[in-house]
Amino acid sequence: MNNADYKNAGAGTKVVWAGEKAALAHNATQVPIMLSAAFQYDDIDEWYDVAMGDKPGHIYSRMSNPTVRALEEKICVLEGAENAVAFATGMAAISSTLYTFLRPGDRVVSVKDTYGGTNKIFDEFLPGMGVEVRLCPTEDMALLESEIAAGCAVLYLETPTNPTLKILDIERLARAGKAAGALVIIDNTFATPLNQNPLELGVDIVLHSATKFLSGHADVMGGVVCGSGELMQRVAHYREINGSSLDAFSAYLIIRGMKTLKLRVRQQEASAMALARYLQGEPLVEQVNYPGLPEHPGHDIAARQMKGYGGIVSFVLRHGMDAVRILLPKLVYANRAGNLGAVETIYGPARTTSHVENTLEERLALGISEGLVRISVGIEDTDDLLADLKQAFDQLRQSL
């Protein structure tokens, strides 16, 4: 069965079946872990044809691997892409894609509300390569479109943003980027392919940190990039030479995790909505960020371009970091860690999670206060998560 056969299947079916058939061997029902560094050929001419890409096959796992390829095929089906390229981490996927398409003298336009590691690339590494970077306030659509129209080689987007959950109008910005001749790239990690398919909205390249929702079990790292065949060929060449390839065992774990993606995400976002609504009425909370709330400034756009609102909520505590230090240790059903998208619920402030690479001054300049807490909602029972958060706030009240 090829990828075209899944065109009319539902997302829950795609995450289970897509991309795996070609990798199966010995009548197995699961994709094998191909832990071979190299692949041998008795026919030297065939070996050469595979190496040149004229015939399907694998010669060296830094370049391609059957298990990794199965993951890439699954992503292609879910995102509606022609091809995909997997990486060792999400940041390897992001940085490698940017370095593939940007050269000294180029200009890139993005928003201030990107993941902290991405922001560091824009703030520190690209300028050192002679790339001009323009980061715009995420809410200022007019300024964004003006800067795009002024010319750029790359327009880089992230929506919902990490950790402020701001929403960008993908179709509108992709249209502006195309009009300016820009390559439009988007980080789709928070939304997942279940809730958002940016290629359908005019984006050229979609990125995911597979460490997060795709794998879903906090036990593996990986990243994936997808788009047209021509663009992915260039990204794959960069990966081949620079070496940030995903290993077969990690690919297997991500594939296994993805089979429950739909079940996990639907439970996570149901609980996320319940927690967000509770936080809205909590007097010790200044602000709640969740695009599923009708009061969220980006709700209407999110409702138009997303199928669901995801499993991430963030909120800002009154009394700032003093309150964070009291609240988080009181939680029972929570890991306090710098990850997201796992089956367990995870809490953390931006200064030790999404923007740990940034200084206090940099975070404040990005509009991220010390009282901001990000919740990556797990698959636990909603009532238990809600009761746990309520009891933690009750203890916080007694301590202030």
Side-chain angles (χ1 to χ4, degrees), residues 7-8 16 42 51 56 115 129 167 203 222 235 254 280 298 324 384:
K7 183 176 180 181
N8 297 319
V16 173
D42 293 331
Y115 167 64
M129 292 171 48
I167 300 295
V203 168
V235 173
I254 296 168
Q280 277 188 311
V324 173
D384 291 331

Side-chain angles (χ1 to χ4, degrees), residues 269-291:
E269 59 192 10
S271 293
M273 179 65 83
L275 295 183
R277 284 175 173 156
Y278 162 71
L279 289 166
Q280 277 188 311
E282 172 53 60
L284 290 174
V285 172
E286 288 184 1
Q287 180 180 333
V288 182
N289 305 311
Y290 187 63

